[in-house]
Amino acid sequence: MTAPAGATIDAVVDQVDIVADQVVSLVLRRVDGQPFQPWQPGAHIDVHVGDGLVRQYSLCSSPEELDHLRIGVLHVPDSRGGSKAVHALLAGTPLTISEPRNNFPLRESRRYLFLAGGIGITPLIPMLEAADAAGKEWTLIYGGRSRKTMAFAQHLEDRYGTDRIRILAEDEVGRLDLDRILGMPRAHMLVYACGPGGLLGAVEERCMGWPPGALHTERFVASTLGAAAANAPFEVELARTGTTVTVPNDKTILEAVEEVGVRVLSSCRGGLCGTCETQIISGEPEHRDAVLTEEDREAGEIMLVCVSRAAAGCPRLVLDL
């Protein structure tokens, strides 16, 4: 289950560092000088970047140092404007952020294989610290276009050495050899992967032969579905009031219920943060988010109403709204 959204916090940008080509790192502190709430590796925060933009960024600082939070942000030229706004921030700029919450927790295991692609390194950095502190066996394989584009690469090598940190730049060694890396399932090992959708799709394909639950991923974009996906209108019954709302093919459940005056807590509105998680009372959903685990999806008890819809052949969902 995903964590509920936390209250907003008045923060300030304390430090801005360029940590790779087109990647900045921001150190954030609370305006009131108080420590942040405890958080676990894999957590992220919402950042309100102006003009109604709210974006989610993974925490890459240490959970042991609650006087500040650190995020790393890649400038994506064709994005919706969030990364551009973050890259324009200066030290001393006030920001509104959320409390940390976690859709990508580090599970207990004897051994870990961490796989990062590009900016996907950020949520894995606190995981490395936790695994190392617990004396676990672990390896990080970190791929990117070139070393100059790979944030925190040198820092990680300096801290942990090159035996467990493998920096594989495409312009030096070619693309990651996932068949070799993941071709043989290993006992008592969890795989944590974060990066571009193409990389994660390839990782998922190669982990199909691994034990169920061995692979854990975090995506920075929600799933895109083809023309065969369910886009037909359907009905949503709001169980708390008995109101029935029709969701047309060009609106989301979230938009449709907001039009009848129902307030649903939401943030990213793109299936990335988990804020709008809603309980399903009856009906079959088609999940289009990048948050829920396979176990959550198979259970069919919750959905993210900002992107997910009724499955093909399901004319009606009853939701706890």
Side-chain angles (χ1 to χ4, degrees):
M1 301 285 285
T2 56
T8 58
I9 302 169
D10 292 327
V12 63
V13 179
D14 184 65
Q15 184 177 327
V16 179
D17 298 301
I18 298 174
V19 292
D21 186 21
Q22 300 298 309
V23 181
V24 297
S25 168
L26 302 184
V27 174
L28 309 175
R29 299 185 188 273
R30 292 181 60 126
V31 169
D32 60 13
Q34 295 299 307
F36 290 96
Q37 290 186 3
W39 56 276
Q40 298 300 316
H44 70 272
I45 57 171
D46 295 344
V47 178
H48 299 250
V49 293
D51 295 328
L53 295 176
V54 181
R55 296 292 182 265
Q56 290 70 42
Y57 296 109
S58 299
L59 297 178
C60 55
S61 48
S62 171
E64 302 301 316
E65 300 174 354
L66 297 178
D67 63 320
H68 72 278
L69 301 175
R70 182 185 291 273
I71 59 175
V73 181
L74 172 68
H75 181 222
V76 183
D78 59 351
S79 72
R80 294 175 294 165
S83 68
K84 180 179 179 181
V86 170
H87 274 246
L89 294 174
L90 301 174
T93 304
L95 276 181
T96 300
I97 65 175
S98 72
E99 291 283 5
R101 60 182 186 273
N102 203 336
N103 299 323
F104 190 42
L106 183 65
R107 308 294 185 188
E108 176 66 25
S109 181
R110 298 183 194 175
R111 308 161 69 197
Y112 297 97
L113 173 61
F114 298 105
L115 277 170
I119 198 62
I121 189 62
T122 50
L124 302 184
I125 291 175
M127 294 185 182
L128 304 183
E129 179 181 326
D132 197 61
K136 304 293 186 178
E137 179 183 338
W138 62 268
T139 301
L140 168 69
I141 298 176
Y142 180 9
R145 296 192 311 276
S146 65
R147 277 186 171 258
K148 69 177 183 178
T149 68
M150 299 171 70
F152 308 109
Q154 190 62 54
H155 164 76
L156 292 171
E157 284 187 330
D158 291 344
R159 179 169 182 176
Y160 298 110
T162 56
D163 289 341
R164 289 181 294 178
I165 302 290
R166 298 174 58 191
I167 308 298
L168 302 178
E170 188 174 336
D171 64 350
E172 297 174 4
V173 298
R175 294 194 174 189
L176 295 180
D177 186 351
L178 295 178
D179 289 328
R180 179 179 58 80
I181 295 168
L182 298 169
M184 181 66 68
R186 275 151 278 182
H188 310 296
M189 176 178 280
L190 296 183
V191 178
Y192 276 79
C194 186
L199 171 66
L200 296 186
V203 168
E204 289 169 347
E205 180 179 338
R206 286 159 177 81
C207 283
M208 291 181 66
W210 285 61
L215 175 63
H216 300 262
T217 63
E218 181 166 69
R219 295 177 182 270
F220 295 136
V221 295
S223 302
T224 56
L225 300 179
N231 280 314
F234 60 95
E235 292 184 342
V236 170
E237 180 182 333
L238 311 181
R240 298 182 192 178
T241 63
T243 303
T244 296
V245 177
T246 298
V247 182
N249 59 5
D250 61 346
K251 283 187 171 62
T252 65
I253 296 174
L254 178 60
E255 292 167 338
V257 300
E258 285 179 336
E259 287 183 354
V260 298
V262 176
R263 182 177 180 272
V264 180
L265 193 62
S266 63
S267 178
C268 74
R269 306 178 80 92
L272 301 174
C273 71
T275 305
C276 67
E277 178 185 301
T278 300
Q279 183 179 357
I280 302 168
I281 296 175
S282 67
E284 181 184 356
E286 182 178 81
H287 296 290
R288 302 186 180 188
D289 64 275
V291 173
L292 298 183
T293 65
E294 286 305 313
E295 290 82 2
D296 287 336
R297 293 168 186 259
E298 291 175 6
E301 297 176 352
I302 53 176
M303 68 186 301
L304 300 191
V305 294
C306 67
V307 291
S308 299
R309 300 179 66 82
C314 175
R316 187 182 185 90
L317 294 171
V318 181
L319 303 179
D320 183 23
L321 292 172

Tab-separated table of all heavy atoms in Angstrom, residues 235-275:
chain	number	residue	atom	x	y	z
A	235	GLU	N	-19.201	4.028	-15.642
A	235	GLU	CA	-19.794	4.694	-14.491
A	235	GLU	C	-18.974	4.439	-13.236
A	235	GLU	O	-18.377	3.367	-13.083
A	235	GLU	CB	-21.226	4.204	-14.264
A	235	GLU	CG	-22.198	4.632	-15.349
A	235	GLU	CD	-23.621	4.210	-15.041
A	235	GLU	OE1	-23.795	3.306	-14.179
A	235	GLU	OE2	-24.549	4.783	-15.627
A	236	VAL	N	-18.943	5.424	-12.379
A	236	VAL	CA	-18.330	5.291	-11.061
A	236	VAL	C	-19.373	5.648	-10.016
A	236	VAL	O	-19.932	6.754	-10.042
A	236	VAL	CB	-17.099	6.199	-10.911
A	236	VAL	CG1	-16.630	6.215	-9.458
A	236	VAL	CG2	-15.976	5.730	-11.814
A	237	GLU	N	-19.663	4.704	-9.130
A	237	GLU	CA	-20.555	4.975	-8.001
A	237	GLU	C	-19.709	5.403	-6.812
A	237	GLU	O	-18.744	4.722	-6.437
A	237	GLU	CB	-21.374	3.739	-7.635
A	237	GLU	CG	-22.317	3.988	-6.461
A	237	GLU	CD	-23.109	2.763	-6.055
A	237	GLU	OE1	-23.345	1.897	-6.929
A	237	GLU	OE2	-23.465	2.663	-4.863
A	238	LEU	N	-20.066	6.537	-6.223
A	238	LEU	CA	-19.367	7.056	-5.054
A	238	LEU	C	-20.070	6.494	-3.826
A	238	LEU	O	-21.171	6.926	-3.471
A	238	LEU	CB	-19.383	8.579	-5.058
A	238	LEU	CG	-18.968	9.229	-6.393
A	238	LEU	CD1	-18.992	10.746	-6.282
A	238	LEU	CD2	-17.593	8.738	-6.822
A	239	ALA	N	-19.429	5.513	-3.190
A	239	ALA	CA	-20.112	4.725	-2.170
A	239	ALA	C	-20.543	5.554	-0.970
A	239	ALA	O	-21.546	5.241	-0.316
A	239	ALA	CB	-19.205	3.585	-1.713
A	240	ARG	N	-19.847	6.618	-0.658
A	240	ARG	CA	-20.172	7.384	0.550
A	240	ARG	C	-21.451	8.197	0.391
A	240	ARG	O	-22.120	8.516	1.381
A	240	ARG	CB	-19.015	8.306	0.909
A	240	ARG	CG	-17.724	7.573	1.222
A	240	ARG	CD	-16.620	8.543	1.611
A	240	ARG	NE	-15.323	7.886	1.627
A	240	ARG	CZ	-14.173	8.504	1.904
A	240	ARG	NH1	-14.190	9.817	2.199
A	240	ARG	NH2	-13.038	7.846	1.887
A	241	THR	N	-21.812	8.523	-0.849
A	241	THR	CA	-23.021	9.332	-1.076
A	241	THR	C	-24.045	8.632	-1.955
A	241	THR	O	-25.196	9.066	-2.028
A	241	THR	CB	-22.657	10.670	-1.742
A	241	THR	OG1	-22.091	10.398	-3.039
A	241	THR	CG2	-21.650	11.437	-0.900
A	242	GLY	N	-23.645	7.567	-2.643
A	242	GLY	CA	-24.541	6.904	-3.572
A	242	GLY	C	-24.638	7.582	-4.917
A	242	GLY	O	-25.372	7.132	-5.805
A	243	THR	N	-23.887	8.671	-5.118
A	243	THR	CA	-23.888	9.393	-6.392
A	243	THR	C	-23.196	8.554	-7.467
A	243	THR	O	-22.182	7.901	-7.212
A	243	THR	CB	-23.153	10.739	-6.258
A	243	THR	OG1	-23.775	11.496	-5.220
A	243	THR	CG2	-23.182	11.520	-7.561
A	244	THR	N	-23.756	8.579	-8.674
A	244	THR	CA	-23.139	7.891	-9.805
A	244	THR	C	-22.677	8.924	-10.822
A	244	THR	O	-23.423	9.837	-11.186
A	244	THR	CB	-24.119	6.910	-10.471
A	244	THR	OG1	-24.450	5.877	-9.525
A	244	THR	CG2	-23.477	6.268	-11.696
A	245	VAL	N	-21.439	8.785	-11.247
A	245	VAL	CA	-20.813	9.715	-12.181
A	245	VAL	C	-20.395	8.946	-13.423
A	245	VAL	O	-19.844	7.839	-13.328
A	245	VAL	CB	-19.568	10.379	-11.547
A	245	VAL	CG1	-18.869	11.291	-12.541
A	245	VAL	CG2	-19.949	11.145	-10.291
A	246	THR	N	-20.665	9.514	-14.593
A	246	THR	CA	-20.174	8.929	-15.839
A	246	THR	C	-18.808	9.509	-16.156
A	246	THR	O	-18.620	10.732	-16.160
A	246	THR	CB	-21.142	9.197	-16.995
A	246	THR	OG1	-22.395	8.578	-16.703
A	246	THR	CG2	-20.594	8.631	-18.308
A	247	VAL	N	-17.853	8.625	-16.449
A	247	VAL	CA	-16.499	9.049	-16.812
A	247	VAL	C	-16.360	8.896	-18.324
A	247	VAL	O	-16.303	7.776	-18.836
A	247	VAL	CB	-15.430	8.207	-16.095
A	247	VAL	CG1	-14.027	8.703	-16.462
A	247	VAL	CG2	-15.635	8.244	-14.581
A	248	PRO	N	-16.348	9.991	-19.076
A	248	PRO	CA	-16.236	9.884	-20.537
A	248	PRO	C	-14.829	9.469	-20.954
A	248	PRO	O	-13.906	9.413	-20.124
A	248	PRO	CB	-16.568	11.301	-21.014
A	248	PRO	CG	-16.192	12.182	-19.868
A	248	PRO	CD	-16.446	11.391	-18.621
A	249	ASN	N	-14.664	9.213	-22.234
A	249	ASN	CA	-13.366	8.716	-22.705
A	249	ASN	C	-12.275	9.771	-22.677
A	249	ASN	O	-11.096	9.439	-22.765
A	249	ASN	CB	-13.483	8.113	-24.107
A	249	ASN	CG	-13.993	9.116	-25.134
A	249	ASN	OD1	-14.165	10.289	-24.821
A	249	ASN	ND2	-14.232	8.653	-26.346
A	250	ASP	N	-12.645	11.042	-22.548
A	250	ASP	CA	-11.638	12.104	-22.568
A	250	ASP	C	-11.407	12.722	-21.189
A	250	ASP	O	-10.787	13.766	-21.072
A	250	ASP	CB	-12.030	13.205	-23.561
A	250	ASP	CG	-13.353	13.870	-23.210
A	250	ASP	OD1	-14.098	13.327	-22.367
A	250	ASP	OD2	-13.649	14.931	-23.792
A	251	LYS	N	-11.904	12.061	-20.131
A	251	LYS	CA	-11.672	12.553	-18.775
A	251	LYS	C	-11.233	11.399	-17.881
A	251	LYS	O	-11.525	10.238	-18.141
A	251	LYS	CB	-12.940	13.194	-18.196
A	251	LYS	CG	-13.238	14.592	-18.712
A	251	LYS	CD	-14.408	15.214	-17.961
A	251	LYS	CE	-14.570	16.693	-18.311
A	251	LYS	NZ	-14.857	16.920	-19.729
A	252	THR	N	-10.533	11.768	-16.810
A	252	THR	CA	-10.153	10.773	-15.816
A	252	THR	C	-11.227	10.678	-14.745
A	252	THR	O	-12.107	11.548	-14.631
A	252	THR	CB	-8.825	11.150	-15.150
A	252	THR	OG1	-9.010	12.370	-14.393
A	252	THR	CG2	-7.721	11.356	-16.195
A	253	ILE	N	-11.156	9.644	-13.925
A	253	ILE	CA	-12.069	9.522	-12.796
A	253	ILE	C	-11.927	10.738	-11.887
A	253	ILE	O	-12.926	11.317	-11.428
A	253	ILE	CB	-11.791	8.232	-12.000
A	253	ILE	CG1	-12.053	7.001	-12.861
A	253	ILE	CG2	-12.635	8.190	-10.727
A	253	ILE	CD1	-11.658	5.693	-12.191
A	254	LEU	N	-10.698	11.131	-11.645
A	254	LEU	CA	-10.452	12.286	-10.782
A	254	LEU	C	-11.153	13.526	-11.314
A	254	LEU	O	-11.832	14.245	-10.569
A	254	LEU	CB	-8.945	12.529	-10.670
A	254	LEU	CG	-8.502	13.724	-9.832
A	254	LEU	CD1	-8.980	13.596	-8.394
A	254	LEU	CD2	-6.975	13.878	-9.885
A	255	GLU	N	-11.018	13.800	-12.591
A	255	GLU	CA	-11.654	14.974	-13.182
A	255	GLU	C	-13.173	14.882	-13.113
A	255	GLU	O	-13.863	15.864	-12.827
A	255	GLU	CB	-11.197	15.140	-14.625
A	255	GLU	CG	-9.722	15.520	-14.766
A	255	GLU	CD	-9.211	15.387	-16.181
A	255	GLU	OE1	-9.826	14.625	-16.981
A	255	GLU	OE2	-8.195	16.014	-16.492
A	256	ALA	N	-13.698	13.683	-13.364
A	256	ALA	CA	-15.150	13.512	-13.387
A	256	ALA	C	-15.763	13.719	-12.004
A	256	ALA	O	-16.813	14.364	-11.875
A	256	ALA	CB	-15.502	12.123	-13.921
A	257	VAL	N	-15.132	13.202	-10.966
A	257	VAL	CA	-15.713	13.363	-9.636
A	257	VAL	C	-15.512	14.788	-9.119
A	257	VAL	O	-16.343	15.302	-8.357
A	257	VAL	CB	-15.158	12.320	-8.642
A	257	VAL	CG1	-15.467	10.910	-9.130
A	257	VAL	CG2	-13.674	12.504	-8.387
A	258	GLU	N	-14.429	15.432	-9.527
A	258	GLU	CA	-14.245	16.832	-9.129
A	258	GLU	C	-15.328	17.723	-9.716
A	258	GLU	O	-15.748	18.702	-9.084
A	258	GLU	CB	-12.864	17.318	-9.565
A	258	GLU	CG	-11.720	16.777	-8.707
A	258	GLU	CD	-10.357	17.245	-9.181
A	258	GLU	OE1	-10.231	17.584	-10.388
A	258	GLU	OE2	-9.423	17.251	-8.359
A	259	GLU	N	-15.812	17.376	-10.899
A	259	GLU	CA	-16.848	18.179	-11.541
A	259	GLU	C	-18.170	18.134	-10.784
A	259	GLU	O	-19.007	19.033	-10.951
A	259	GLU	CB	-17.050	17.722	-12.989
A	259	GLU	CG	-15.902	18.132	-13.912
A	259	GLU	CD	-16.152	17.730	-15.352
A	259	GLU	OE1	-17.159	17.025	-15.615
A	259	GLU	OE2	-15.349	18.117	-16.223
A	260	VAL	N	-18.367	17.100	-9.972
A	260	VAL	CA	-19.601	17.032	-9.172
A	260	VAL	C	-19.334	17.441	-7.730
A	260	VAL	O	-20.142	17.183	-6.831
A	260	VAL	CB	-20.249	15.629	-9.231
A	260	VAL	CG1	-20.654	15.309	-10.657
A	260	VAL	CG2	-19.320	14.559	-8.674
A	261	GLY	N	-18.195	18.088	-7.497
A	261	GLY	CA	-17.922	18.671	-6.195
A	261	GLY	C	-17.260	17.762	-5.184
A	261	GLY	O	-17.184	18.102	-3.998
A	262	VAL	N	-16.750	16.610	-5.630
A	262	VAL	CA	-16.075	15.691	-4.713
A	262	VAL	C	-14.587	16.009	-4.698
A	262	VAL	O	-13.940	16.027	-5.751
A	262	VAL	CB	-16.300	14.224	-5.124
A	262	VAL	CG1	-15.511	13.286	-4.213
A	262	VAL	CG2	-17.781	13.891	-5.082
A	263	ARG	N	-14.048	16.250	-3.526
A	263	ARG	CA	-12.627	16.571	-3.409
A	263	ARG	C	-11.848	15.292	-3.134
A	263	ARG	O	-12.116	14.578	-2.174
A	263	ARG	CB	-12.379	17.579	-2.280
A	263	ARG	CG	-10.918	17.985	-2.155
A	263	ARG	CD	-10.725	19.035	-1.062
A	263	ARG	NE	-9.327	19.425	-0.959
A	263	ARG	CZ	-8.434	18.806	-0.188
A	263	ARG	NH1	-8.798	17.751	0.525
A	263	ARG	NH2	-7.181	19.225	-0.149
A	264	VAL	N	-10.867	15.028	-3.983
A	264	VAL	CA	-9.963	13.893	-3.802
A	264	VAL	C	-8.554	14.446	-3.655
A	264	VAL	O	-8.104	15.232	-4.489
A	264	VAL	CB	-10.018	12.929	-5.010
A	264	VAL	CG1	-9.068	11.755	-4.803
A	264	VAL	CG2	-11.439	12.421	-5.226
A	265	LEU	N	-7.887	14.057	-2.601
A	265	LEU	CA	-6.518	14.508	-2.405
A	265	LEU	C	-5.660	14.012	-3.564
A	265	LEU	O	-5.639	12.818	-3.870
A	265	LEU	CB	-5.976	13.966	-1.086
A	265	LEU	CG	-4.675	14.584	-0.569
A	265	LEU	CD1	-4.858	16.068	-0.291
A	265	LEU	CD2	-4.218	13.855	0.695
A	266	SER	N	-4.978	14.923	-4.238
A	266	SER	CA	-4.166	14.547	-5.398
A	266	SER	C	-2.984	15.484	-5.496
A	266	SER	O	-2.972	16.561	-4.905
A	266	SER	CB	-4.993	14.610	-6.694
A	266	SER	OG	-5.419	15.931	-6.952
A	267	SER	N	-2.002	15.070	-6.269
A	267	SER	CA	-0.795	15.886	-6.414
A	267	SER	C	-0.329	15.879	-7.858
A	267	SER	O	-0.547	16.828	-8.598
A	267	SER	CB	0.301	15.382	-5.470
A	267	SER	OG	1.484	16.123	-5.634
A	268	CYS	N	0.303	14.770	-8.298
A	268	CYS	CA	0.938	14.778	-9.624
A	268	CYS	C	-0.058	14.701	-10.771
A	268	CYS	O	0.203	15.181	-11.859
A	268	CYS	CB	1.930	13.620	-9.729
A	268	CYS	SG	1.150	11.986	-9.900
A	269	ARG	N	-1.205	14.054	-10.535
A	269	ARG	CA	-2.241	13.848	-11.545
A	269	ARG	C	-1.704	13.109	-12.763
A	269	ARG	O	-2.250	13.205	-13.855
A	269	ARG	CB	-2.897	15.183	-11.956
A	269	ARG	CG	-3.431	15.976	-10.792
A	269	ARG	CD	-4.023	17.314	-11.195
A	269	ARG	NE	-5.380	17.145	-11.704
A	269	ARG	CZ	-6.477	17.236	-10.947
A	269	ARG	NH1	-6.384	17.470	-9.653
A	269	ARG	NH2	-7.672	17.102	-11.483
A	270	GLY	N	-0.639	12.353	-12.566
A	270	GLY	CA	-0.046	11.596	-13.661
A	270	GLY	C	0.306	10.165	-13.296
A	270	GLY	O	1.061	9.499	-14.005
A	271	GLY	N	-0.202	9.655	-12.185
A	271	GLY	CA	0.041	8.269	-11.810
A	271	GLY	C	1.415	8.001	-11.241
A	271	GLY	O	1.888	6.864	-11.274
A	272	LEU	N	2.038	9.039	-10.651
A	272	LEU	CA	3.424	8.900	-10.207
A	272	LEU	C	3.623	8.971	-8.700
A	272	LEU	O	4.637	8.490	-8.207
A	272	LEU	CB	4.295	9.987	-10.853
A	272	LEU	CG	4.331	10.007	-12.383
A	272	LEU	CD1	5.098	11.217	-12.863
A	272	LEU	CD2	4.964	8.735	-12.905
A	273	CYS	N	2.687	9.577	-7.984
A	273	CYS	CA	2.978	9.870	-6.574
A	273	CYS	C	2.171	9.047	-5.588
A	273	CYS	O	2.567	8.909	-4.431
A	273	CYS	CB	2.780	11.354	-6.291
A	273	CYS	SG	1.051	11.905	-6.309
A	274	GLY	N	1.026	8.532	-5.967
A	274	GLY	CA	0.222	7.718	-5.069
A	274	GLY	C	-0.727	8.494	-4.178
A	274	GLY	O	-1.451	7.904	-3.380
A	275	THR	N	-0.777	9.816	-4.295
A	275	THR	CA	-1.601	10.624	-3.399
A	275	THR	C	-3.086	10.307	-3.522
A	275	THR	O	-3.813	10.294	-2.528
A	275	THR	CB	-1.367	12.121	-3.680
A	275	THR	OG1	0.018	12.402	-3.572
A	275	THR	CG2	-2.132	12.996	-2.702
